[in-house]
Structure formats: C-alpha cells, structure tokens
Amino acid sequence: MASNLWSEDQFSCSVCLEILKDPVTTACGHSYCMGCIKNCWDQTDHTGVYSCPQCRETFTPRPVLCRNTMLAEIAGEFKRRRLNPPPAQSYAGPEDVPCDFCTGRKFKAVKSCLTCLASYCETHVKPHSEVTPLKRHKLVNAIGNLEQKLCAEHQKVLEVFCRTDQTCICLLCTDEEHKSHDTVSAEAERTGKQKQLGDTQTEIQQRIQERLKEIEDLKQTVKSLKRSACIEIKESEKIFTELIRSIEKIHTEVIELIGANEKAAVNQAEGRMKKLEQEIPELRRRNAELKQLSETEDHIHFLQNFQPLCAPPEAGDLPSFTVNTEISFVAVRKAVSELKDHIEDFCKGELVKITKTVNEVAVYSLQAPEPRNRAEFFKLNEVAVYSLQAPELRNRAEFLKLNEVAVYSLQAPEPRNRAEFLKYSCQLTLDPNTVHRNLCLSEGNRKVTWRRETQRYTDHPERFDSWPQGLCREGLSGTCCYWEIEWSGGWPDIGLTYKGISRKGGDRSCRLGFNDKSWSLSCSDSSYTARHNNNETAITAPHSPRIGVYLDFNAGTLSFYGVSDTMTLLHRFQTTFTEPLYPGFRLWVYDSTVTICQLN
C-alpha cells in the first residue's frame, strides 16, 4: 500500500497538527481537516476574502470544499496504526532463526515458507499475505535448517513419505529408487501418525498424573513414616530405659544379697568365736586342777576329787561344727555370668526378629514387570532389591541408634565371573567344638577328614554326636560372602545352617538340608542334589572337585557353582534369611576330605 511509502507527517493538518480528519483539498493543492478550514474561513466571512493558511493564496467567492476520499483512507490507516501499532521487531539471537531477507544485522524470523524454503521477519513476510500468488505458499512458525526439507539427491522439496524405508522423499524419488515402495503424501502420513502422537501424548499425560500422585503418596508416606519412627523411638527408649532399670534393680538386689549374706555369715562366725573365747578360761582352769590332782601324793585326796574333775566337760549350747576354710562367692559370679550370657543370647535372638520387622518397613518396593522374552529373563539379575539391613548391635548406644538405619539400600547384582565373586571372598575356619569325633581337623582347621580312629575331643553341647558333620566358627549375615570348597574321596554335603540345628542323636533333623534350618548341596562324581527342609532337587552337571558358594544374605539367595575355567551355576536357593548362617559339611566315606580354599 501507498501508506508504506509515506510518513505520518505528510498527512497531518497544518492547522491542528493532527492526522487529517475528513480531509479536503483547496484549489492551491493544500489539504486540511474540513472542520479546521471551515473555522478559518468563517472568521473572514465579513471580508469576503478567503485565503490558504499555508500559501496565502486568496479565493473569491468562498470555495465549496468536498471530502478527499483517497486522503481519508490513507489518514485512516495511520490512525489505525496508532491504535494498533505493529509489534516491535527484535534482532535474532543465538537460538533464534534469522530473517533470510534482512541485510546487515538480521531481525528475528517469525515465519518460514515451506514453498520458498526461506524464513521472514515481520516486515519481509507481509508480501505472503498481500500478493495473491504468494498467498498460496505454506507458512509455518519459523524453523531452522530449511535445507533439511530438500531432497539431498534432487534438491526438490520433500513432500512424500516412504513407508517401506520410513523416510521422507521428493516426487522424483517416487519414480526412481522408491518406485515400487509403499509411498503416501507427507500430509496423509502425518494424519495417521498424528493420532498415534495424540495417543502417546495422552499416555504421557496420564503417566505425569500417575507420577504426581505417586510423589504425593510418597510425601504422605514419608511424613507418616517419620511420625511413626519418632513415636516408636520414644516408646522404644522408654522400654529400654525400663529394661535397664530392671537390670540395675537385679544388680542392686544381687549386691544387697551378697552383702546381707556376708553380714549374716560374719555375725554367725563372730558369735561362735565369742562363745569359744568364753569357754577357753574355764577349760584352762579345769586343766590346771587336773594337773594339780595328777601331781598330788595324797591317794585319798586323789580318789575323792577324781570323779568330779575327770567328768567330761559340758558341751553347753555349742554343737560340733566344721570350719569351711575355702569359703567364697565365686559361684555367685558364675551364676551372674550365666545370667549375662542368657540375657545376651536372648537379646540377640529377639534382635533378629526386631531387625526382620524393621526391614519390612519400607516406603515402597520395586515390582519388576513380567519378562516378555528370553533376553529379559536373563536381565533379572540386574533388578535392584531394596531392603533395610541393620548390623548386629553390640551395646545400648547402638540400640538407641536404630532410627539412623537407612530407608532402603541398593543390593548389588549377582557377580558374573569368578573375578567378581572373589571381591566378596571371606575367611572361614571349622569350629572344633562342633565336629563329630571321627572327623580330624588339619591345616589350621580349614581341612576336615573322616578317620576310623576316634579323635580326643572334649564333650561339648554343640558337637554332632551321630552324624559326621561340623560347622564353621563364623556366622554370616547382612552382606555378600563367597568361598570355595575342594572335596575328594567321597560324596560330601556342603551347606549352611542356623545355629539352632539339632546336634544330638541320629535323627535326620540333625542332618544338613533335612530341616527348615539348613540348606545343602550333596556332591558326587556325576550328579548333585540340592536339599532344604527335606525337599530334594536332582541336578545333572559335569563333575567339579571345587565348589563355589555365594551368599547374598539381604537378597535371600544362596548359590552353588562348579568352579573351573568358568563358573557353572549348579543350584540357587531363594528365600528370606532371618538369622546368621554357619557354613558346614558332612562326610560320607572314610578318608574323604573337604578343604576350605585360601582365596587371598
């Protein structure tokens, strides 16, 4: 339009200095607002002479003025621009698309033409809305890299989609390498995928809402957990304080009992000593009289006094007694020590239950989706297991720190090769107080051999008296452990058990794997058998004289491997362990051996 070539000042009235309103033009060619020029000429009506306010040319008679339609349209355009000014253009920044038609410093492009393959600022895009041929072009919000919209081979606009190759192509491509392919217009393919995109967007929005709800649920759960933990810590503190007071009361009563017993015994002894001391002078007096009587030469005097003086001394109220010269309170100390051991054992057992209960308190648990194919089954080992695991507590201060246990911990995946297993290796030794009397220990209690000769072991309540079995000293819990066993000469059982397994008698409940307290693997030259709670699983695998055992206590897995150049999984138990586990062995054949390997 012409208004793009002129300034606003060219269409201002020289009388009111505003944009022309109902513009009129005089014969001299100057333009004014109709109201302004009428007011001027009304003031000179009495003279009959009318002049132009700019050039002073006079007119007689008074000219008849008509509205200038073209000027009125142009002036109206300027007025509209005042009311609705165009947005201020800004220069293109590093992340903006620059206008392809600006010279010098470029303005920010607002539209891109997919027909022209060019981007335009506010000024240079106007022809696309004013020029008829350009109106048919497709404008979109400014986008960069328009060259990517061209076919690299033909330099034509990409407007076709090849479903066979899943790529955008130009029309020429459809007649050449994509001639026999399934092709549709880009618009048609977009329509189909738009619905898919909408479905995906709906799913994502739904997932966002689910995540927001899960976050809110977690916040509420954490708040509830903290509140519950605070309450239970205070209540536990009260209970443990009462327990400590009870123990202190027992302590006071024992001290008082010892003191009272001491006082009574001392009083009794001192009373006896006082009576004995009182009896001694009388005995000395009679002894002197008897001596004097024995020395007299008067026979009559001797006989007359013999009977009363030689009568046995009266015992009085002092019965005969024997003095205990080795009296002490050592037995009391032993009884108190046994009480301490019983309390500690009881507390350890109860702590296992408490730990298990605490472990069950978790903000959330992971639920892995059902595997859909073989590859996903093999990835099950990579699933993280979240659980609480508190270490064994040793004193009151550690009991009071239970509230510092983490909400969850991440368990490492099962090792994949022997080098990774060896990172968890542990040192084990057999406990001589548990082994059967026909089992001989050697090599620092790491090797056990079945002998016909009975070994000279002392009696012990933890010794197996019928089954040729033995346990290690070390109890394993709260971590991952790995060890290796070499066996020879006969079919050993390799296993683990809780400490409470039966030890006495030939009942099968004493045997590793035949009760709910133990797990075992029986080895032979051609097969293996896994056992727990008297349930058996037969395993066919190559002979392996070295067996690797991997325990992940927190994850509840116990795995047995045949160790050679590779690790061959023989069997894996999956359960929940509630107490420390003690490695153990059972031998079947005379002179057969089991050795705990040195791995470091």
Side-chain angles (χ1 to χ4, degrees):
M1 294 179 64
S3 60
N4 291 334
L5 305 176
W6 298 317
S7 68
E8 187 176 303
D9 292 340
Q10 292 175 289
F11 298 91
S12 299
C13 174
S14 60
V15 177
C16 67
L17 302 179
E18 294 290 338
I19 296 175
L20 292 169
K21 183 178 181 182
D22 293 332
V24 295
T25 304
T26 61
C28 63
H30 294 110
S31 300
Y32 303 95
C33 297
M34 182 176 289
C36 292
I37 194 62
K38 278 185 177 183
N39 288 337
C40 288
W41 286 352
D42 286 346
Q43 295 175 14
T44 59
D45 267 345
H46 65 283
T47 64
V49 178
Y50 306 95
S51 63
C52 173
Q54 292 190 57
C55 66
R56 301 303 177 180
E57 184 176 346
T58 60
F59 309 101
T60 56
R62 180 172 176 165
V64 178
L65 299 175
C66 297
R67 187 171 183 270
N68 190 324
T69 305
M70 180 177 290
L71 287 178
E73 183 180 346
I74 297 174
E77 175 67 21
F78 279 115
K79 287 181 181 179
R80 284 191 295 273
R81 288 195 177 188
R82 278 191 174 185
L83 295 174
N84 299 297
Q89 294 198 95
S90 58
Y91 290 106
E95 298 180 358
D96 297 324
V97 178
C99 175
D100 292 324
F101 284 80
C102 288
T103 58
R105 188 176 180 185
K106 296 179 178 292
F107 284 113
K108 175 182 176 182
V110 295
K111 294 291 181 180
S112 295
C113 178
L114 298 182
T115 307
C116 302
L117 292 178
S119 298
Y120 303 94
C121 63
E122 287 280 3
T123 301
H124 292 116
V125 79
K126 287 181 178 179
H128 277 75
S129 60
E130 298 171 352
V131 179
T132 301
L134 297 179
K135 289 181 180 180
R136 293 191 291 269
H137 290 191
K138 187 172 183 179
L139 293 177
V140 296
N141 290 332
I143 55 177
N145 300 323
L146 284 171
E147 63 274 7
Q148 293 182 359
K149 306 297 184 294
L150 291 177
C151 175
E153 184 175 353
H154 302 107
Q155 295 301 306
K156 297 294 183 181
V157 178
L158 300 174
E159 48 188 331
V160 179
F161 185 79
C162 177
R163 290 176 172 171
T164 304
D165 293 337
Q166 291 293 301
T167 185
C168 294
I169 59 176
C170 68
L171 285 173
L172 293 178
C173 291
T174 60
D175 295 329
E176 296 180 5
E177 63 268 27
H178 297 270
K179 185 174 181 179
S180 58
H181 291 182
D182 180 12
T183 58
V184 295
S185 67
E187 184 178 1
E189 184 66 18
R190 163 69 183 272
T191 302
K193 290 191 180 296
Q194 186 73 32
K195 183 180 182 303
Q196 182 180 348
L197 184 145
D199 295 340
T200 302
Q201 189 176 10
T202 301
E203 182 181 349
I204 290 175
Q205 291 172 349
Q206 181 180 355
R207 187 170 297 181
I208 290 173
Q209 295 302 317
E210 291 174 354
R211 295 297 181 264
L212 290 173
K213 185 178 183 303
E214 288 171 358
I215 290 173
E216 185 60 29
D217 291 344
L218 280 172
K219 287 181 179 178
Q220 295 300 322
T221 301
V222 169
K223 186 183 298 184
S224 175
L225 180 69
K226 289 182 177 179
R227 182 169 57 251
S228 176
C230 182
I231 294 172
E232 295 311 316
I233 288 171
K234 291 180 180 179
E235 293 301 319
S236 297
E237 179 71 23
K238 290 180 183 178
I239 293 171
F240 280 114
T241 300
E242 292 175 0
L243 176 61
I244 292 169
R245 287 175 181 171
S246 297
I247 294 176
E248 289 175 345
K249 182 179 178 182
I250 295 174
H251 172 216
T252 302
E253 291 177 354
V254 170
I255 298 301
E256 291 176 351
L257 180 63
I258 294 174
N261 187 277
E262 174 196 12
K263 184 177 180 180
V266 169
N267 289 339
Q268 182 183 19
E270 288 178 347
R272 169 72 66 168
M273 286 189 294
K274 185 176 180 180
K275 291 181 179 181
L276 292 174
E277 290 171 351
Q278 291 174 350
E279 187 177 353
I280 289 174
E282 177 64 21
L283 293 174
R284 285 177 176 173
R285 183 188 61 79
R286 288 193 63 185
N287 184 55
E289 291 178 351
L290 289 173
K291 181 179 179 183
Q292 184 178 5
L293 182 63
S294 66
E295 293 176 353
T296 184
E297 296 178 356
D298 186 343
H299 304 304
I300 299 300
H301 177 75
F302 179 88
L303 294 173
Q304 289 177 339
N305 291 283
F306 173 81
Q307 190 66 30
L309 289 178
C310 287
E314 295 182 1
D317 57 353
L318 292 178
S320 61
F321 61 90
T322 302
V323 177
N324 183 8
T325 58
E326 296 182 357
I327 186 172
S328 74
F329 288 97
V330 174
V332 178
R333 186 198 316 160
K334 182 179 179 182
V336 172
S337 179
E338 290 177 353
L339 174 62
K340 167 182 166 291
D341 293 340
H342 286 317
I343 292 176
E344 288 180 347
D345 291 342
F346 176 78
C347 288
K348 288 179 181 179
E350 292 303 308
L351 179 59
V352 171
K353 298 178 183 177
I354 294 173
T355 302
K356 182 180 179 181
T357 303
V358 174
N359 287 351
E360 294 173 354
V361 179
V363 173
Y364 67 91
S365 59
L366 288 181
Q367 295 179 349
E370 185 77 15
R372 294 165 294 181
N373 51 50
R374 187 168 180 265
E376 291 188 356
F377 272 101
F378 281 114
K379 290 183 70 177
L380 283 177
N381 283 347
E382 299 175 9
V383 176
V385 179
Y386 293 83
S387 65
L388 283 173
Q389 182 57 43
E392 184 165 342
L393 305 182
R394 297 164 294 181
N395 51 50
R396 180 173 179 266
E398 292 188 356
F399 271 100
L400 298 180
K401 290 180 68 178
L402 277 176
N403 58 318
E404 299 178 4
V405 177
V407 175
Y408 64 88
S409 61
L410 183 63
Q411 299 299 326
E414 181 117 343
R416 293 164 295 182
N417 51 53
R418 187 166 182 265
E420 292 186 2
F421 278 104
L422 292 177
K423 295 178 182 178
Y424 301 101
S425 62
C426 61
Q427 298 295 328
L428 300 175
T429 54
L430 284 156
D431 185 353
N433 291 330
T434 66
V435 296
H436 186 269
R437 294 183 186 275
N438 287 103
L439 299 181
C440 177
L441 298 181
S442 60
E443 297 185 12
N445 293 342
R446 288 186 299 103
K447 181 177 181 180
V448 57
T449 306
W450 180 321
R451 298 296 189 195
R452 295 182 183 275
E453 304 84 10
T454 301
Q455 307 300 308
R456 295 183 178 180
Y457 296 134
T458 59
D459 292 336
H460 199 280
E462 295 185 357
R463 189 176 311 285
F464 290 97
D465 63 359
S466 293
W467 292 99
Q469 297 181 150
L471 304 182
C472 291
R473 294 178 181 273
E474 296 78 13
L476 308 177
S477 66
T479 185
C480 298
C481 301
Y482 177 75
W483 61 98
E484 291 180 355
I485 307 299
E486 284 190 346
W487 62 277
S488 64
W491 310 285
D493 287 351
I494 301 169
L496 289 93
T497 179
Y498 294 147
K499 194 171 185 178
I501 188 173
S502 299
R503 316 291 178 101
K504 306 304 179 183
D507 190 273
R508 296 182 74 185
S509 62
C510 300
R511 181 178 165 187
L512 291 173
F514 284 82
N515 48 71
D516 60 357
K517 296 181 175 61
S518 61
W519 296 259
S520 72
L521 180 75
S522 296
C523 306
S524 70
D525 293 336
S526 59
S527 65
Y528 304 87
T529 303
R531 292 187 179 90
H532 171 63
N533 203 17
N534 210 23
N535 294 321
E536 297 185 355
T537 301
I539 303 163
T540 301
H543 169 71
S544 177
R546 179 176 283 224
I547 302 297
V549 186
Y550 177 71
L551 170 67
D552 188 337
F553 189 93
N554 295 338
T557 60
L558 172 62
S559 306
F560 294 89
Y561 291 85
V563 180
S564 56
D565 294 335
T566 59
M567 303 287 290
T568 303
L569 178 63
L570 302 175
H571 188 75
R572 176 180 290 118
F573 292 101
Q574 183 69 57
T575 184
T576 299
F577 298 119
T578 59
E579 303 176 29
L581 292 165
Y582 293 82
F585 312 97
R586 186 182 66 85
L587 301 181
W588 271 99
V589 180
Y590 289 121
D591 295 328
S592 61
T593 64
V594 166
T595 304
I596 304 171
C597 302
Q598 287 275 35
L599 299 181
N600 295 329

